[in-house]
């Protein structure tokens, strides 16, 4: 929760900015990742910081930040099973409440996408003129059963103005499939290997006359590197966090999107994967930001990354 506030302060050093006639803050669950996975794209769209809360109580750090920045609208991402009505009542003291949620994590990702589509079409944003799904007609699809791939994809999806939707491993949820078809996606980019999203989902998409392509590495860390190569080939700055926990990466992905930088995932707090090492040794990265404390990325890992960059 404290890390989320620090990210917000870095993102908006001079206070909140007005968008859609409101000064917005987006709130997601810090306890349960499924509903929160697509909150990064929401925060980017609303030009808002992404803060975290517990299910039944608003953390002190979050409440103090809200008092300081004085938002006029709070956008809650997720249903009452992850952020309950008691917290919503607390949040009402800070601004108008808007909740984006579906019946489950997959439905929430669709409702998030619908909200993105409504807002951009209502405001005639030019990046949607080539199709409903961002400037290249792309929608991103990641596992809703684990979080690393979706977190690594959140930054490029947000920047492109494209929805990030969630799927089961072996079956595309009906509401997700219906939304993709109805809005005529030109391409579905499936994020992660077959251990996260199976080839059965790819076949289901292609059987529906949809173009589907996979972006994946051998593991979650390598997948984050493949995403960085694909979408940020000229990045000079990267964000680094652990793929073993989601909260720090979730809030940091919004900052990464705003700064046009990739998020690289380490396998754990102490280990810099071979894929991340190879990326840092090959690409022109000159600086990095660690998302989270030493429990997320240890001093040992930080020093190793620093030495790779300095010694390149």
């Amino acid at each position: 929760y404290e890390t989320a506030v620090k990210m917000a302060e870095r993102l908006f050093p001079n206070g909140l900015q007005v968008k859609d006639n409101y000064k917005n803050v987006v709130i997601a669950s810090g306890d349960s990742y499924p509903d929160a996975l697509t909150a990064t794209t929401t925060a980017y769209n609303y030009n808002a910081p992404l803060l975290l809360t517990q299910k039944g109580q608003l953390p002190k750090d979050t409440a103090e930040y809200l008092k300081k920045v004085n938002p006029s609208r709070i956008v809650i991402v997720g249903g009452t099973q992850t952020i309950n009505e008691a917290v919503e009542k607390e949040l009402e003291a800070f601004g108008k409440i808007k909740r984006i949620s579906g019946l489950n994590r997959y439905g929430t990702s669709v409702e998030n996408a619908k909200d993105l589509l409504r807002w951009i079409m209502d405001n005639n944003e030019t990046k949607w003129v080539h199709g409903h799904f961002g400037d290249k007609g792309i929608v991103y699809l990641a596992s809703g059963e684990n979080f690393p791939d979706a977190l690594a994809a959140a930054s490029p999806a947000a920047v492109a103005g494209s929805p990030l939707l969630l799927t089961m491993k072996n079956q595309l949820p009906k509401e997700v499939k219906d939304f993709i078809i109805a809005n005529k996606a030109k391409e579905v980019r499936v994020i992660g290997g077959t251990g996260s999203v199976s080839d059965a989902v790819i076949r289901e998409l292609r059987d529906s006359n949809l173009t589907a392509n996979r972006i994946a590495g051998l593991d979650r860390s390598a997948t984050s590197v493949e995403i960085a190569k694909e979408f940020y080939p000229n990045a000079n700055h990267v964000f680094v966090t652990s793929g073993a926990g989601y909260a720090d990466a979730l809030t940091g992905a919004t900052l990464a999107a705003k700064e046009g930088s990739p998020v690289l995932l380490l396998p754990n707090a102490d280990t810099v994967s071979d894929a991340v090492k190879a990326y840092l040794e090959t690409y022109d990265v000159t600086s990095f930001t660690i998302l989270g404390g030493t429990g997320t990325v240890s001093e040992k890992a930080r020093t190793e990354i620093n030495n790779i960059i300095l010694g390149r």
Side-chain angles (χ1 to χ4, degrees):
Y1 307 102
E2 182 183 2
T3 297
V5 169
K6 288 180 179 178
M7 292 297 106
E9 289 172 341
R10 174 168 166 174
L11 193 57
F12 296 96
N14 300 314
L16 301 179
Q17 299 172 8
V18 175
K19 187 165 185 180
D20 194 25
N21 298 316
Y22 291 97
K23 292 194 295 181
N24 299 289
V25 169
V26 175
I27 302 282
S29 171
D31 298 325
S32 177
Y33 70 83
D35 278 353
L37 282 177
T38 55
T40 293
T41 55
T42 310
Y44 187 89
N45 182 48
Y46 281 86
N47 195 26
L50 174 56
L51 302 176
L52 301 179
T53 184
Q54 297 166 310
K55 176 182 178 179
Q57 183 176 359
L58 192 65
K60 180 182 177 183
D61 289 327
T62 303
E64 288 180 350
Y65 179 80
L66 290 172
K67 288 177 184 176
K68 183 172 73 173
V69 298
N70 191 30
S72 52
R73 180 167 63 184
I74 310 292
V75 182
I76 300 172
V77 178
T80 54
Q81 71 275 17
T82 55
I83 300 175
N84 69 18
E85 292 173 351
V87 170
E88 181 175 334
K89 190 70 175 176
E90 284 187 79
L91 290 170
E92 285 178 357
F94 300 103
K96 178 181 178 181
I97 300 296
K98 176 176 181 176
R99 187 186 285 266
I100 301 173
S101 66
L103 293 176
N104 52 39
R105 64 192 71 180
Y106 310 107
T108 294
S109 75
V110 169
E111 292 305 314
N112 233 336
K114 288 179 180 178
D115 186 71
L116 175 67
L117 182 59
R118 276 194 300 264
W119 195 94
I120 293 181
M121 292 187 74
D122 286 347
N123 289 273
N124 195 28
E125 287 254 354
T126 56
K127 64 185 174 183
W128 284 69
V129 298
H130 298 296
H132 290 306
F133 291 112
D135 57 4
K136 295 183 180 177
I138 295 169
V139 59
Y140 295 80
L141 185 69
S143 171
E145 296 172 332
N146 56 63
F147 55 83
D149 295 334
L151 291 181
S155 174
V159 171
S162 294
L164 173 60
L165 298 170
L166 303 180
T167 183
M168 295 178 281
K169 178 181 178 180
N170 294 312
Q171 184 179 356
L172 189 64
K174 183 180 183 302
E175 60 266 51
V176 174
K177 182 178 179 179
D178 289 347
F179 181 79
I180 294 172
I181 292 172
N183 289 281
K184 302 175 183 177
K186 294 179 181 178
E187 180 187 358
V188 180
R189 290 190 173 173
V190 177
I191 307 299
T194 55
S196 297
V197 181
S198 72
D199 285 336
V201 171
I202 298 274
R203 288 194 296 271
E204 188 174 354
L205 289 164
R206 290 174 179 168
D207 288 344
S208 300
N209 296 316
L210 294 164
T211 299
N213 295 300
R214 187 187 296 275
I215 300 174
L218 293 176
D219 54 31
R220 60 185 61 177
S221 182
T223 293
S224 73
V225 168
E226 292 304 311
I227 291 169
K229 290 177 182 178
E230 176 79 14
F231 300 106
Y232 300 103
N234 301 311
N236 300 123
H237 186 85
V238 298
F239 289 80
V240 180
T241 192
S242 170
Y246 92 96
D248 291 332
L250 176 70
T251 54
T254 304
L255 179 59
K258 286 288 187 182
E259 297 191 0
S261 300
V263 176
L264 301 180
L265 302 180
L266 306 185
N268 54 59
D270 294 316
T271 305
V272 182
S273 68
D274 289 341
V276 170
K277 288 179 187 177
Y279 175 81
L280 294 174
E281 289 167 351
T282 305
Y283 286 77
D284 192 27
V285 176
T286 57
S287 60
F288 65 99
T289 297
I290 290 175
L291 301 174
T294 55
T296 303
V297 177
S298 69
E299 185 60 26
K300 171 180 175 291
R302 187 202 68 81
T303 300
E304 186 174 357
I305 292 169
N306 195 55
N307 288 341
I308 292 171
I309 292 174
L310 292 176
R312 190 179 56 240

